[in-house]
Amino acid sequence: MSKQTPRKQSARKRPAAKQATSQEAAAQQAAAQQAAAKQADAAQATGRKTTSRKTPATDSGAGSAKAGGGRVPAPAAAPAPETDGSPAKELSRRRLLGTVGAAGAAGLVVGGAAGAAGVAAAGDDTPEALTTVGSTRVPFRAAGGGHQAGITTPLQAKGHLVAFDLVPGTDRKAAAALLRRWSRTAEELMAGRAPDADTGVALDAGPSSLTVTFGFGHSFFGRTGLTERRPIALDPLPDFSADALDPARSNGDLWIQIGADDALVAFHALRALQKDAAGRARLRWQMNGFNRTPGATAQPMTTRNLMGQIDGTNNPKPSDRDFDERIFVGRDADQAWMRGGSYAVVRRIRMLLDDWEKRSRHDQEKVIGRRKDNGAPLTGGSETTPMRLDANRPDGLPVIPANAHARIAAPESNQGAAMLRRPFSYHDGFREDGAPDAGLLFICWQADPLRAFTQVQRKLDRGDALSPFLRHEASGLFAVPPAAEPGDYVGQPLLEG
């Protein structure tokens, strides 16, 4: 939900013959203010009621919430006592009327992924969360143990991906101290509380569905003397023919994924964690991404990428019987500290949008294998209708072309291999030739990268119709342990086990 800023409305100039007398104008103004105040009180009550409701999980992005990833509304602040005619109440009304005036005198009704109806606070009064976009909180620690937030959490509007390398001389003990500090800061920020020495960047905002997710890269274990505790699944990804990877923007000792529905809240977390790393780790690379803002569509829906395609239709859902088996590491893992964790593959994929946009919609749909308007497979139905990969046209050719991206990436074409895709789009300006430097920060989650991402990518690498429009420019693989137990920090079983 976007916050509206109150604006002073300038009086319209009218011919003198049509001007009311000063007494008549004052009476009309008083009556209008009285009616508007009543409307403001009703709207403000509606806003406060909304914050007490739990935000429904949507099928956008990762689907419904699981342990450690579900959104819950943060407790709403109790309103200050007010009396009729008091300065506090009049000020609150002015804040609210400014917002309502900017959106239209009929009032505000806002819908979308957050499922909220209300108005946004503005002005110089005491900050108060009036929408579930700002007040929605994702727990840092999963109840009863579980997975880190940011894996099954619904897609957020703003994201930062950042990798660090430990500075020379940082040993296992120093790395543990860093993870302890990072975990403490993340827990405070995700709860909507300011950490020590806070910058005040997000002082007037709620948690805004903030998540902070931590992972370990392959090189971390050698630097900390923990090579014997490095999982086999963390072996480097193979080379692919379409790769044009920049080593400086790939891999890293430590990885952090930050997501939030407010850009300032996301930056605030990034800045706090980067400051915490001083003396222990230095920045290796950073990437910034975005998704659609909650409330931008009339109803919750799967996100679109910068090619205009609905992206994430065939994602595994937490309600699937084998979801945990596919996405999270099981009890038979070679390293006990990774049980309940997951592996994140991160790829910066630049889209050749100038070339793509020259194609007709019909050609684009053949490349993808799905309709552009609603995401339905070319074999018919709606977005969620299963593809009929055996359907042929009258001329005997398949309705969904043999090299269509959706066909090649489908689990049915990869011995059931599946991964949970949870991407952000990015735009880093324009290149020297005028083409946009834009595309996808592809992030996928799986229990075993070799049997999920690697298997699917190898097949795409051999003949995917979409590949000519993509450039893979950075890559990373990270082991993401389960959520921290109460009183512990993320990765403690690895570092102190």
Side-chain angles (χ1 to χ4, degrees):
M1 180 184 301
S2 58
K3 295 187 177 181
Q4 305 289 337
T5 304
R7 300 177 182 174
K8 294 182 179 179
Q9 300 181 358
S10 57
R12 297 178 180 175
K13 294 181 180 180
R14 301 176 180 176
K18 295 183 180 181
Q19 292 276 358
T21 65
S22 59
Q23 292 87 353
E24 292 172 336
Q28 292 172 356
Q29 183 177 10
Q33 287 179 343
Q34 184 176 7
K38 290 180 179 179
Q39 181 183 9
D41 287 343
Q44 190 171 24
T46 302
R48 285 176 179 153
K49 275 186 175 181
T50 302
T51 60
S52 67
R53 292 199 299 265
K54 184 173 182 179
T55 306
T58 74
D59 207 23
S60 167
S64 60
K66 291 283 283 184
R71 295 175 173 179
V72 297
E82 297 176 349
T83 57
D84 289 340
S86 68
K89 186 163 187 175
E90 290 304 314
L91 182 57
S92 179
R93 285 177 176 175
R94 283 197 297 272
R95 290 168 54 220
L96 193 57
L97 286 173
T99 303
V100 172
L108 294 175
V109 178
V110 184
V119 292
D124 56 356
D125 202 356
T126 302
E128 180 179 3
L130 296 182
T131 75
T132 58
V133 172
S135 65
T136 302
R137 176 175 55 84
V138 181
F140 175 72
R141 302 179 191 275
H147 322 300
Q148 286 194 59
I151 301 176
T152 60
T153 309
L155 288 172
Q156 297 116 315
K158 182 66 177 177
H160 297 293
L161 308 180
V162 57
F164 291 86
D165 286 337
L166 297 175
V167 300
T170 301
D171 57 11
R172 176 176 174 175
K173 183 177 180 180
L178 174 59
L179 267 297
R180 185 181 299 109
R181 186 184 310 157
W182 271 350
S183 297
R184 181 173 61 248
T185 297
E187 184 168 19
E188 291 293 297
L189 291 169
M190 287 172 61
R193 298 188 294 265
D196 295 338
D198 184 53
T199 60
V201 172
L203 192 61
D204 50 354
S208 302
S209 299
L210 173 68
T211 59
V212 181
T213 316
F214 299 99
F216 300 102
H218 186 275
S219 55
F220 174 84
F221 297 84
R223 296 183 188 275
T224 54
L226 292 167
T227 52
E228 292 183 357
R229 308 203 70 188
R230 182 166 55 209
I232 295 175
L234 198 56
D235 286 350
L237 297 172
D239 296 330
F240 301 102
S241 64
D243 284 354
L245 306 180
D246 177 4
R249 293 191 293 180
S250 300
N251 302 311
D253 294 345
L254 294 161
W255 175 71
I256 303 176
Q257 174 193 252
I258 298 168
D261 282 331
D262 179 80
L264 283 179
V265 169
F267 172 81
H268 182 226
L270 173 66
R271 178 63 175 143
L273 294 166
Q274 182 256 338
K275 288 172 64 178
D276 279 351
R280 300 282 190 236
R282 61 170 177 263
L283 183 70
R284 180 179 177 88
W285 54 259
Q286 178 196 337
M287 301 175 189
N288 308 315
F290 58 90
N291 281 306
R292 188 173 263 151
T293 302
T297 56
Q299 59 188 13
M301 62 179 293
T302 311
T303 192
R304 289 185 185 270
N305 59 35
L306 299 188
M307 287 179 160
Q309 300 293 148
I310 292 178
D311 193 338
T313 297
N314 209 22
N315 248 345
K317 295 176 175 57
S319 58
D320 295 345
R321 177 185 52 80
D322 56 354
F323 180 84
D324 283 357
E325 180 183 346
R326 288 180 167 187
I327 308 305
F328 297 108
V329 178
R331 300 191 62 82
D332 59 347
D334 61 315
Q335 297 293 341
W337 64 270
M338 267 299 289
R339 293 170 185 167
S342 188
Y343 290 94
V345 173
V346 181
R347 309 276 283 188
R348 184 186 191 270
I349 305 175
R350 180 164 58 91
M351 296 174 171
L352 306 187
L353 295 177
D354 285 345
D355 294 343
W356 176 255
E357 291 162 3
K358 291 175 184 176
R359 297 295 185 101
S360 67
R361 174 171 291 195
H362 175 72
D363 286 347
Q364 290 177 354
E365 291 179 340
K366 288 174 62 179
V367 167
I368 301 298
R370 290 183 175 275
R371 289 173 56 95
K372 193 168 186 177
D373 57 353
N374 62 5
L378 297 184
T379 48
S382 66
E383 180 190 350
T384 57
T385 301
M387 293 185 293
R388 291 190 291 118
L389 299 179
D390 58 349
N392 292 327
R393 304 183 320 199
D395 60 5
L397 294 176
V399 176
I400 298 176
N403 62 348
H405 181 76
R407 173 188 286 273
I408 294 178
E412 300 91 325
S413 303
N414 293 278
Q415 299 177 331
M419 50 198 161
L420 180 65
R421 303 186 309 284
R422 196 177 180 278
F424 291 95
S425 292
Y426 78 87
H427 177 222
D428 290 340
F430 294 86
R431 297 162 61 87
E432 290 184 1
D433 61 359
D437 185 2
L440 197 69
L441 300 181
F442 175 88
I443 309 165
C444 70
W445 300 89
Q446 58 261 291
D448 184 348
L450 182 63
R451 290 191 288 180
F453 172 79
T454 299
Q455 180 168 325
V456 175
Q457 186 60 31
R458 277 177 172 159
K459 194 158 189 178
L460 292 170
D461 208 36
R462 290 195 294 265
D464 173 32
L466 185 60
S467 292
F469 302 95
L470 306 176
R471 294 292 182 270
H472 291 246
E473 298 183 336
S475 179
L477 172 61
F478 303 96
V480 177
E485 296 287 344
D488 292 352
Y489 59 88
V490 174
Q492 184 167 333
L494 165 65
L495 291 161
E496 298 186 15

